[in-house]
Amino acid sequence: MPTLEVRDLYVSVDGKEILKGLNFTVNKGEVHALMGPNGSGKSTLAYTIMGHPKYKVESGDILFEGKSILEMKPDERAKLGLFLAFQYPVEVPGVTLFNFLWKAIQSNNLDSTSPRVSKLPRSIVDYKKELIDRIKNLNMSEIFIYRPIGVGFSGGEKKRMEILQMAMLKPTIAFLDEPDSGLDIDSLKTVADVVNSIRSQDLGMVVITHYQRILNYIKPDFVHIMLDGKIVKSGGPDIVEKLEQEGYAWIREIAAESAD
Amino acid sequence: MQATKRKIDIDYTKYDFRDEVKYVYQSKRGLSREVVEEISYWKNEPEWMRQFRLHSLEVFLKKPMPTWGADLSEINFDEYIYYIKPTDRQGKSWDEVPEKIRQTFERLGIPEAERKFLAGVGAQYESEVVYHSLREDLMKKGVIFVDMDTAVREYPDLVKKYFGTVIPPEDNKFAALNSAVWSGGSFVYVPKGVKVDFPLQAYFRINAESVGQFERTLIIAEEGASVHYIEGCTAPVYREDSLHSAVVEIIALPGSHVRYTTVQNWSKNVYNLVTKRAVAYEDAFVEWVDGNLGSKVTMKYPAVYLLGKGAKAEILSIAYAGAGQHQDTGAKVIHVAPYTTSNIVSKSISKDGGRTSYRGLVKVQKGAVGVKSTVRCDALMLDEFSRSDTYPYMEIDEELVSIGHEATVGKISEDQLFYLMSRGLSESEALTLVVLGFIEPFAKELPLDYAIELNKLIKLEMEGAIG
Ligand SMILES: Nc1ncnc2c1ncn2[C@@H]1O[C@H](COP(=O)(O)OP(=O)(O)O)[C@@H](O)[C@H]1O
Ligand SMILES: [Mg+2]
């Protein structure tokens, strides 16, 4: 049984249809790259899987370990082990990462019966120690954990805080929505190192990206190309090179052919 | 996360209890010259104060009800009891306070706070202060912290010099009312250069129904002195409305620092109509930290008159209005002298049809060059039934000044809630965090125990209360 399966998914936002029959499967231990031009619906897929209330599932299904999660609220999905590193992380004035993430970990500890919970810190002392270790690995000062989330952070700092949260929450399936955008090359390498260090048989990852650059550092097992609300091409890492050489025009041709 | 009606009531159960207390004396309902004379008689006051009261009553009767703010049309001045004397004497230790009343304050945690971190405590029950204390070393340094009635008798020169000078009875109808029937409240005097290291606190409790509480507070900080005064207030819930109408005057002499912190959590049947004003002389610094969670209607606009060069004002406030509540609050700063600065931060939250209004005035008089002022007010509405308005007035009669103003009014952000929930927080936990984050600039200015209490109040009802 696949860990996460998306079946013939149609999604609309404010009455506008965005995902148009999308199929997609990801298992623990796999790394997928999801590529596609701006506006093709990559973020929409990630938000929908996480349960954003604005994104309405018109038909199709999303299954986690064989069970539909469509009726679940975002927090319930998080407790199953789903995680989203946001393309545009949100600012929450007056709320520090330190307080908020501890609360989140406690909630996860309480409600879940999954084995991943055993890897979460139990005491606030362990939590703090792990958090500080991990933020240092991301080349950030620990003072960031005591600042209000996102407020006054640079784009790159926000992105790294997303990776930090992923590392702390130890999800089963994680979507990383453009973790590379806004990062200079050094930060990109730092982020990639951290992501690679948490790669494991217990974690399935979907790296959403517009460019192939990050895929030089995080090597995917599978690559999918999205266009206009659908996955139009799936395959191995070789697709990335072809895409690099021929651009999205090549994909558009394939899509047009298969539509005939 | 559908359009659920979000509940974040303030938990009231802790404060909602009544005591059966036998009073020494209580005036009959309604306001008259006779009632005013009686109050003065019971207090055994000097003649000048009796005259002040009678004059104030005249002013009160002549002044029309203010119509520019909250709806006060249901107030019926004939229905209140204006004076209740709960006990014969004031305790200097809690053992001397009548048992029922002592238990009230114990339930409210006052003696405990006193032991932990306060330099002095006053506790008022209905119209009179029933307990008063001040740390001995401060007494020796000449600090005075007594109830206002005692001050009139024991420090007539100081009282006469300042009483009613910052807020005369003519100022507004409710200041006139207070001036006529005032009872209790605090008198604080800090001598030159003395710094009171721990806060002084007064706690005001209304217990009876339909009662009016009219305490009067006067704080004088001599040159270079500093003091932090905290005021707390609660009452049980009754069907009939009660009226709380206080006057607070602060005189901050050159180089002094006065901080006045209030968190009012009156029950939702109390009209809370309070006039608070400070004058700040050269290089003095006055701070109002003002939290409004309870009451049916509050009208309160803490003010600072910056009279001396380099004086500073900070006014930080939060208002929370739930069903049936209207918090009409704000701030007022008058820059009279040059190089004075002011900073106003106001945060308000409304839900379940509650209403908050921010009403503010920044005035810079001609000649007050080099003035700096910033105003920031943010309103958060938790549902579509609630309302929030801002009325920021600016009167700037001098050109060489720097004035900043920022205001935001918004619904609670769906994206913020989603973000927090996507990490595993329930909707109510996420909502609690967003709201606590919103008021954090206020909470962090409170002494730790008060900040914890404030957070608890808001948390309690939010968690698990979403349908
Ligand atoms: N919250 C939203 N409201 C309105 N339109 C949206 C929203 N989110 C996405 N869209 C639209 O859906 C389409 C796909 O967007 P998105 O999923 O962000 O694409 P990608 O992440 O691939 O760039 C775009 O046309 C975008 O304008
Ligand atoms: Mg996107």
Side-chain angles (χ1 to χ4, degrees), chain A residues 53-93:
Chain A
K54 264 193 108 167
Y55 294 77
K56 194 162 170 260
V57 174
E58 302 290 349
S59 68
D61 208 347
I62 304 170
L63 307 163
F64 186 88
E65 290 170 350
K67 287 198 205 95
S68 174
I69 60 167
L70 289 187
E71 295 303 315
M72 292 182 147
K73 293 188 168 202
D75 53 319
E76 297 170 296
R77 299 183 194 204
K79 283 171 198 154
L80 283 182
L82 288 170
F83 181 88
L84 168 60
F86 284 56
Q87 182 179 0
Y88 303 109
V90 175
E91 296 179 4
V92 193

CSV table of all heavy atoms in Angstrom, one decimal, chain A residues 53-93:
chain,number,residue,atom,x,y,z
A,53,PRO,N,-8.1,25.3,4.0
A,53,PRO,CA,-9.6,25.4,3.8
A,53,PRO,C,-10.0,26.1,2.5
A,53,PRO,O,-11.1,26.0,2.0
A,53,PRO,CB,-10.1,26.3,5.0
A,53,PRO,CG,-8.8,27.0,5.5
A,53,PRO,CD,-7.7,26.1,5.2
A,54,LYS,N,-9.1,26.9,1.9
A,54,LYS,CA,-9.5,27.6,0.7
A,54,LYS,C,-9.5,26.7,-0.6
A,54,LYS,O,-10.1,27.0,-1.6
A,54,LYS,CB,-8.5,28.7,0.4
A,54,LYS,CG,-9.0,30.1,0.9
A,54,LYS,CD,-8.1,31.2,0.3
A,54,LYS,CE,-8.9,32.0,-0.7
A,54,LYS,NZ,-8.2,33.2,-1.0
A,55,TYR,N,-8.8,25.6,-0.5
A,55,TYR,CA,-8.6,24.7,-1.6
A,55,TYR,C,-9.7,23.6,-1.6
A,55,TYR,O,-9.6,22.7,-0.7
A,55,TYR,CB,-7.2,24.1,-1.7
A,55,TYR,CG,-6.2,25.2,-1.9
A,55,TYR,CD1,-5.8,26.1,-0.9
A,55,TYR,CD2,-5.7,25.5,-3.2
A,55,TYR,CE1,-4.9,27.1,-1.1
A,55,TYR,CE2,-4.8,26.5,-3.5
A,55,TYR,CZ,-4.4,27.4,-2.4
A,55,TYR,OH,-3.6,28.4,-2.6
A,56,LYS,N,-10.6,23.6,-2.5
A,56,LYS,CA,-11.7,22.7,-2.5
A,56,LYS,C,-11.6,21.5,-3.4
A,56,LYS,O,-11.3,21.7,-4.6
A,56,LYS,CB,-13.0,23.6,-2.9
A,56,LYS,CG,-14.3,22.9,-2.6
A,56,LYS,CD,-15.5,23.8,-2.6
A,56,LYS,CE,-16.7,23.1,-2.5
A,56,LYS,NZ,-17.4,22.9,-3.8
A,57,VAL,N,-11.7,20.4,-2.8
A,57,VAL,CA,-11.6,19.1,-3.6
A,57,VAL,C,-12.9,18.9,-4.2
A,57,VAL,O,-13.9,18.7,-3.6
A,57,VAL,CB,-11.2,17.9,-2.7
A,57,VAL,CG1,-11.2,16.6,-3.5
A,57,VAL,CG2,-9.8,18.1,-2.1
A,58,GLU,N,-12.9,18.9,-5.6
A,58,GLU,CA,-14.2,18.7,-6.3
A,58,GLU,C,-14.5,17.3,-6.5
A,58,GLU,O,-15.6,16.8,-6.4
A,58,GLU,CB,-14.1,19.5,-7.7
A,58,GLU,CG,-13.9,21.0,-7.6
A,58,GLU,CD,-15.0,21.8,-7.0
A,58,GLU,OE1,-16.1,21.2,-6.9
A,58,GLU,OE2,-14.9,23.0,-6.7
A,59,SER,N,-13.4,16.5,-6.9
A,59,SER,CA,-13.5,15.1,-7.0
A,59,SER,C,-12.2,14.4,-6.9
A,59,SER,O,-11.1,15.1,-6.9
A,59,SER,CB,-14.2,14.7,-8.3
A,59,SER,OG,-13.4,15.0,-9.4
A,60,GLY,N,-12.2,13.1,-6.8
A,60,GLY,CA,-10.9,12.4,-6.6
A,60,GLY,C,-10.7,12.2,-5.1
A,60,GLY,O,-11.6,12.5,-4.3
A,61,ASP,N,-9.5,11.7,-4.7
A,61,ASP,CA,-9.3,11.3,-3.3
A,61,ASP,C,-7.8,11.5,-3.0
A,61,ASP,O,-6.9,11.5,-3.9
A,61,ASP,CB,-9.7,9.9,-3.1
A,61,ASP,CG,-10.2,9.7,-1.6
A,61,ASP,OD1,-9.9,10.6,-0.8
A,61,ASP,OD2,-10.8,8.7,-1.4
A,62,ILE,N,-7.5,11.7,-1.7
A,62,ILE,CA,-6.2,11.6,-1.2
A,62,ILE,C,-6.1,10.6,-0.1
A,62,ILE,O,-6.9,10.6,0.9
A,62,ILE,CB,-5.7,13.0,-0.6
A,62,ILE,CG1,-5.9,14.1,-1.7
A,62,ILE,CG2,-4.3,12.9,-0.1
A,62,ILE,CD1,-5.7,15.5,-1.1
A,63,LEU,N,-5.2,9.6,-0.2
A,63,LEU,CA,-5.2,8.5,0.7
A,63,LEU,C,-3.9,8.4,1.4
A,63,LEU,O,-2.8,8.5,0.8
A,63,LEU,CB,-5.4,7.1,0.0
A,63,LEU,CG,-6.6,7.0,-0.9
A,63,LEU,CD1,-6.5,5.9,-1.9
A,63,LEU,CD2,-7.9,6.9,-0.1
A,64,PHE,N,-3.9,8.3,2.8
A,64,PHE,CA,-2.7,8.1,3.5
A,64,PHE,C,-2.7,6.7,4.1
A,64,PHE,O,-3.7,6.4,4.8
A,64,PHE,CB,-2.6,9.2,4.6
A,64,PHE,CG,-1.3,9.1,5.4
A,64,PHE,CD1,-0.2,9.8,4.9
A,64,PHE,CD2,-1.1,8.3,6.5
A,64,PHE,CE1,1.1,9.8,5.6
A,64,PHE,CE2,0.1,8.3,7.2
A,64,PHE,CZ,1.2,9.0,6.7
A,65,GLU,N,-1.8,5.9,3.7
A,65,GLU,CA,-1.8,4.5,4.1
A,65,GLU,C,-3.1,3.8,3.9
A,65,GLU,O,-3.7,3.2,4.7
A,65,GLU,CB,-1.3,4.3,5.5
A,65,GLU,CG,0.2,4.6,5.6
A,65,GLU,CD,0.7,4.7,7.1
A,65,GLU,OE1,-0.1,4.7,8.0
A,65,GLU,OE2,2.0,4.8,7.2
A,66,GLY,N,-3.7,4.2,2.7
A,66,GLY,CA,-4.9,3.5,2.3
A,66,GLY,C,-6.2,4.2,2.7
A,66,GLY,O,-7.3,3.8,2.3
A,67,LYS,N,-6.1,5.2,3.7
A,67,LYS,CA,-7.3,5.8,4.2
A,67,LYS,C,-7.5,7.2,3.7
A,67,LYS,O,-6.5,8.0,3.7
A,67,LYS,CB,-7.3,5.8,5.7
A,67,LYS,CG,-7.5,4.4,6.3
A,67,LYS,CD,-7.9,4.6,7.8
A,67,LYS,CE,-7.6,3.3,8.6
A,67,LYS,NZ,-6.3,3.4,9.3
A,68,SER,N,-8.7,7.6,3.3
A,68,SER,CA,-8.9,8.9,2.8
A,68,SER,C,-8.7,9.9,3.9
A,68,SER,O,-9.2,9.7,5.0
A,68,SER,CB,-10.3,9.0,2.2
A,68,SER,OG,-10.6,10.4,1.9
A,69,ILE,N,-8.0,11.0,3.6
A,69,ILE,CA,-7.8,12.1,4.6
A,69,ILE,C,-8.6,13.3,4.3
A,69,ILE,O,-8.5,14.3,4.9
A,69,ILE,CB,-6.3,12.4,4.7
A,69,ILE,CG1,-5.8,13.0,3.4
A,69,ILE,CG2,-5.5,11.2,5.2
A,69,ILE,CD1,-4.4,13.6,3.5
A,70,LEU,N,-9.5,13.2,3.3
A,70,LEU,CA,-10.2,14.5,2.8
A,70,LEU,C,-11.0,15.1,3.9
A,70,LEU,O,-11.2,16.4,3.9
A,70,LEU,CB,-11.1,14.1,1.6
A,70,LEU,CG,-10.4,13.8,0.3
A,70,LEU,CD1,-11.4,13.7,-0.8
A,70,LEU,CD2,-9.4,14.9,0.0
A,71,GLU,N,-11.5,14.3,4.9
A,71,GLU,CA,-12.3,14.9,5.9
A,71,GLU,C,-11.5,15.5,7.1
A,71,GLU,O,-12.0,16.0,8.1
A,71,GLU,CB,-13.4,13.9,6.4
A,71,GLU,CG,-14.4,13.5,5.4
A,71,GLU,CD,-15.2,14.7,4.8
A,71,GLU,OE1,-15.6,15.6,5.6
A,71,GLU,OE2,-15.3,14.8,3.6
A,72,MET,N,-10.2,15.3,7.0
A,72,MET,CA,-9.4,15.6,8.2
A,72,MET,C,-8.9,17.1,8.1
A,72,MET,O,-8.7,17.6,7.1
A,72,MET,CB,-8.1,14.8,8.2
A,72,MET,CG,-8.4,13.3,8.5
A,72,MET,SD,-6.8,12.5,8.6
A,72,MET,CE,-7.2,11.3,9.8
A,73,LYS,N,-8.9,17.7,9.3
A,73,LYS,CA,-8.3,19.1,9.4
A,73,LYS,C,-6.8,19.0,9.3
A,73,LYS,O,-6.2,18.0,9.5
A,73,LYS,CB,-8.8,19.6,10.8
A,73,LYS,CG,-10.3,19.8,10.9
A,73,LYS,CD,-10.6,20.6,12.1
A,73,LYS,CE,-12.1,21.0,12.0
A,73,LYS,NZ,-12.4,22.1,12.9
A,74,PRO,N,-6.2,20.2,9.1
A,74,PRO,CA,-4.8,20.2,8.9
A,74,PRO,C,-4.0,19.6,10.1
A,74,PRO,O,-3.0,19.0,9.9
A,74,PRO,CB,-4.5,21.7,8.8
A,74,PRO,CG,-5.8,22.3,8.3
A,74,PRO,CD,-6.9,21.5,8.8
A,75,ASP,N,-4.5,19.9,11.3
A,75,ASP,CA,-3.7,19.4,12.5
A,75,ASP,C,-3.8,17.9,12.5
A,75,ASP,O,-2.8,17.2,12.9
A,75,ASP,CB,-4.2,20.0,13.8
A,75,ASP,CG,-5.7,19.9,14.0
A,75,ASP,OD1,-6.5,20.1,13.0
A,75,ASP,OD2,-6.1,19.7,15.1
A,76,GLU,N,-4.9,17.3,12.1
A,76,GLU,CA,-5.0,15.9,12.1
A,76,GLU,C,-4.1,15.3,11.1
A,76,GLU,O,-3.5,14.2,11.3
A,76,GLU,CB,-6.5,15.4,11.8
A,76,GLU,CG,-7.4,15.9,12.9
A,76,GLU,CD,-8.9,15.7,12.5
A,76,GLU,OE1,-9.4,16.3,11.5
A,76,GLU,OE2,-9.5,14.9,13.2
A,77,ARG,N,-4.0,15.9,9.9
A,77,ARG,CA,-3.1,15.5,8.9
A,77,ARG,C,-1.6,15.6,9.4
A,77,ARG,O,-0.8,14.7,9.1
A,77,ARG,CB,-3.3,16.3,7.6
A,77,ARG,CG,-4.7,16.2,7.1
A,77,ARG,CD,-4.9,16.9,5.8
A,77,ARG,NE,-6.3,17.0,5.5
A,77,ARG,CZ,-6.8,17.2,4.3
A,77,ARG,NH1,-6.0,17.3,3.2
A,77,ARG,NH2,-8.1,17.3,4.1
A,78,ALA,N,-1.3,16.7,10.1
A,78,ALA,CA,0.0,16.8,10.6
A,78,ALA,C,0.3,15.7,11.6
A,78,ALA,O,1.5,15.1,11.5
A,78,ALA,CB,0.2,18.1,11.4
A,79,LYS,N,-0.6,15.3,12.3
A,79,LYS,CA,-0.4,14.2,13.3
A,79,LYS,C,-0.2,12.8,12.6
A,79,LYS,O,0.4,11.9,13.2
A,79,LYS,CB,-1.5,14.2,14.3
A,79,LYS,CG,-1.4,15.3,15.4
A,79,LYS,CD,-2.6,15.4,16.3
A,79,LYS,CE,-2.6,16.8,16.9
A,79,LYS,NZ,-3.9,17.2,17.3
A,80,LEU,N,-0.8,12.7,11.4
A,80,LEU,CA,-0.5,11.5,10.7
A,80,LEU,C,0.9,11.4,10.2
A,80,LEU,O,1.4,10.3,9.9
A,80,LEU,CB,-1.4,11.5,9.4
A,80,LEU,CG,-2.9,11.1,9.5
A,80,LEU,CD1,-3.5,11.1,8.1
A,80,LEU,CD2,-3.1,9.8,10.2
A,81,GLY,N,1.6,12.6,10.1
A,81,GLY,CA,2.9,12.6,9.7
A,81,GLY,C,3.1,13.3,8.4
A,81,GLY,O,4.1,13.2,7.7
A,82,LEU,N,2.1,14.2,8.0
A,82,LEU,CA,2.3,15.0,6.8
A,82,LEU,C,2.9,16.3,7.2
A,82,LEU,O,2.6,16.9,8.2
A,82,LEU,CB,0.9,15.2,6.1
A,82,LEU,CG,0.3,14.0,5.4
A,82,LEU,CD1,-1.1,14.3,5.0
A,82,LEU,CD2,1.1,13.7,4.2
A,83,PHE,N,3.7,16.8,6.3
A,83,PHE,CA,4.4,18.1,6.6
A,83,PHE,C,4.5,18.9,5.3
A,83,PHE,O,4.7,18.4,4.2
A,83,PHE,CB,5.8,17.9,7.2
A,83,PHE,CG,6.5,19.2,7.6
A,83,PHE,CD1,6.3,19.8,8.8
A,83,PHE,CD2,7.3,19.8,6.6
A,83,PHE,CE1,6.9,21.0,9.1
A,83,PHE,CE2,8.0,21.0,7.0
A,83,PHE,CZ,7.8,21.6,8.2
A,84,LEU,N,4.4,20.2,5.5
A,84,LEU,CA,4.6,21.1,4.3
A,84,LEU,C,5.5,22.2,4.7
A,84,LEU,O,5.3,23.0,5.7
A,84,LEU,CB,3.2,21.7,3.9
A,84,LEU,CG,3.3,22.9,2.8
A,84,LEU,CD1,4.0,22.5,1.6
A,84,LEU,CD2,1.9,23.4,2.5
A,85,ALA,N,6.7,22.3,4.0
A,85,ALA,CA,7.5,23.5,4.1
A,85,ALA,C,7.0,24.5,3.1
A,85,ALA,O,7.0,24.3,1.9
A,85,ALA,CB,9.0,23.1,3.9
A,86,PHE,N,6.5,25.6,3.6
A,86,PHE,CA,5.8,26.6,2.8
A,86,PHE,C,6.7,27.3,1.8
A,86,PHE,O,7.8,27.7,2.1
A,86,PHE,CB,5.1,27.6,3.7
A,86,PHE,CG,3.8,27.1,4.4
A,86,PHE,CD1,3.9,26.0,5.2
A,86,PHE,CD2,2.6,27.8,4.2
A,86,PHE,CE1,2.7,25.6,5.8
A,86,PHE,CE2,1.5,27.4,4.8
A,86,PHE,CZ,1.5,26.2,5.6
A,87,GLN,N,6.1,27.5,0.6
A,87,GLN,CA,6.8,28.4,-0.3
A,87,GLN,C,6.9,29.8,0.2
A,87,GLN,O,7.9,30.5,0.1
A,87,GLN,CB,6.1,28.4,-1.7
A,87,GLN,CG,6.8,29.2,-2.7
A,87,GLN,CD,6.0,29.2,-4.1
A,87,GLN,OE1,5.0,28.6,-4.3
A,87,GLN,NE2,6.6,29.9,-5.1
A,88,TYR,N,5.8,30.3,0.8
A,88,TYR,CA,5.8,31.6,1.4
A,88,TYR,C,5.4,31.4,2.9
A,88,TYR,O,4.2,31.5,3.2
A,88,TYR,CB,4.7,32.5,0.7
A,88,TYR,CG,5.0,32.7,-0.8
A,88,TYR,CD1,4.1,32.1,-1.7
A,88,TYR,CD2,6.1,33.4,-1.2
A,88,TYR,CE1,4.4,32.2,-3.1
A,88,TYR,CE2,6.3,33.5,-2.6
A,88,TYR,CZ,5.5,32.9,-3.5
A,88,TYR,OH,5.7,33.1,-4.8
A,89,PRO,N,6.4,31.2,3.8
A,89,PRO,CA,6.1,31.0,5.2
A,89,PRO,C,5.4,32.2,5.8
A,89,PRO,O,5.6,33.4,5.3
A,89,PRO,CB,7.5,30.8,5.8
A,89,PRO,CG,8.4,30.4,4.7
A,89,PRO,CD,7.8,31.1,3.5
A,90,VAL,N,4.5,31.9,6.7
A,90,VAL,CA,3.6,33.0,7.3
A,90,VAL,C,4.3,33.6,8.4
A,90,VAL,O,5.0,33.0,9.2
A,90,VAL,CB,2.3,32.3,7.7
A,90,VAL,CG1,1.3,33.2,8.4
A,90,VAL,CG2,1.6,31.7,6.4
A,91,GLU,N,4.0,34.9,8.6
A,91,GLU,CA,4.5,35.6,9.8
A,91,GLU,C,3.4,35.6,10.9
A,91,GLU,O,2.2,35.8,10.6
A,91,GLU,CB,4.8,37.1,9.5
A,91,GLU,CG,5.9,37.2,8.5
A,91,GLU,CD,6.2,38.7,8.2
A,91,GLU,OE1,5.6,39.6,8.8
A,91,GLU,OE2,7.0,38.9,7.3
A,92,VAL,N,3.8,35.3,12.1
A,92,VAL,CA,2.9,35.3,13.3
A,92,VAL,C,3.4,36.2,14.3
A,92,VAL,O,4.2,35.8,15.2
A,92,VAL,CB,2.6,33.9,13.8
A,92,VAL,CG1,1.4,33.9,14.8
A,92,VAL,CG2,2.4,32.9,12.7
A,93,PRO,N,3.0,37.5,14.4
A,93,PRO,CA,3.6,38.4,15.3
A,93,PRO,C,3.4,38.0,16.8
A,93,PRO,O,2.3,37.4,17.1
A,93,PRO,CB,2.8,39.7,15.0
A,93,PRO,CG,2.3,39.6,13.6
A,93,PRO,CD,2.1,38.1,13.4
